[in-house]
Amino acid sequence: MTDYLTAFTKSVTCRPEESWSTCFLRTTAKEPGLNCSDIYGTCRPPSGSAMSDSKAYYGAWNIWSTWNYLSSWSRALSDIAAKAPNVIKNYAQPGDTDQFLPQHNGVQKVDIALSNMVHMLNKASEPADAAFLRLMKYVPSALVYNATSNSGVNIGNQLQSRLAGLMAEISTDVDSFLKLVEGGEFSRTLNYNVQTIEDAFMPQNASTVSTAMDGGSSVVDSIAHIE
């Protein structure tokens, strides 16, 4: 995967306004209308109908899968901040994962809150979670907040900004993208989506609507076997 995408970035001339991921989807994956570089936009799994190369499908799937992961967290955080901002504020406090990204004089990096929430949801046992935490170490954040004085809404907005920044980073810098997907974590089916994230943090608002209807990551196929 690393050699394949590195060779792509060196051999293909993209449009001036294109991210490498959109360029790859257009030229190699034969998905000209697909743009997975905007965390607030709309993306979908690649169809694969026009691809003869399994590596092209594997690359396209990983582009979609990473977008879906970051977008699901962003959309869930937006809803949580609006409906239950104290939930975010609670997880923005120092916790067991702070050795991952230590605080300094009460001013903390947003990655502490994100790390705390990821650990709470799955104890970071979801393969994609481990890859996400690895990416945050690889691409450090300058965004900070004060867990005492900042509101849950404000912290939530900063968490979404951090996720949007990571989305922009992996869409424009192939090395960052490869750091995120290098372990194959995003070639597997993601076992949660917007609804399951929200239900975990706001159980009183748990929806009975099928998660398959919310545009999240409920996909039955796995392409982990593609190398």
Side-chain angles (χ1 to χ4, degrees), residues 13-107:
T13 300
C14 299
R15 294 169 179 169
E17 73 279 5
E18 276 185 323
S19 65
W20 77 264
S21 62
T22 301
C23 181
F24 179 87
L25 291 170
R26 176 178 62 84
T27 61
T28 303
K30 310 302 182 185
E31 297 274 6
L34 199 55
N35 184 341
C36 299
S37 61
D38 181 2
I39 197 171
Y40 305 112
T42 301
C43 188
R44 59 167 173 76
S47 66
S49 59
M51 295 183 227
S52 58
D53 186 346
S54 62
K55 290 184 178 179
Y57 185 79
Y58 180 78
W61 175 279
N62 276 263
I63 290 171
W64 169 78
S65 186
T66 53
W67 173 90
N68 189 57
Y69 180 92
L70 295 173
S71 177
S72 292
W73 268 105
S74 179
R75 290 159 61 197
L77 284 168
S78 178
D79 287 345
I80 295 169
K83 298 174 183 177
N86 284 338
V87 168
I88 292 179
K89 191 170 178 66
N90 288 342
Y91 284 98
Q93 303 299 321
D96 292 340
T97 63
D98 287 356
Q99 70 272 14
F100 172 67
L101 294 159
Q103 63 172 336
H104 298 284
N105 301 322
V107 176

Side-chain angles (χ1 to χ4, degrees), residues 155-185:
I155 295 172
N157 288 338
Q158 292 189 66
L159 299 185
Q160 291 177 75
S161 294
R162 170 61 163 151
L163 291 169
L166 287 170
M167 187 74 254
E169 176 73 19
I170 64 173
S171 297
T172 57
D173 180 63
V174 72
D175 289 335
S176 295
F177 175 80
L178 290 171
K179 187 67 177 179
L180 178 59
V181 304
E182 65 183 4
E185 296 91 347

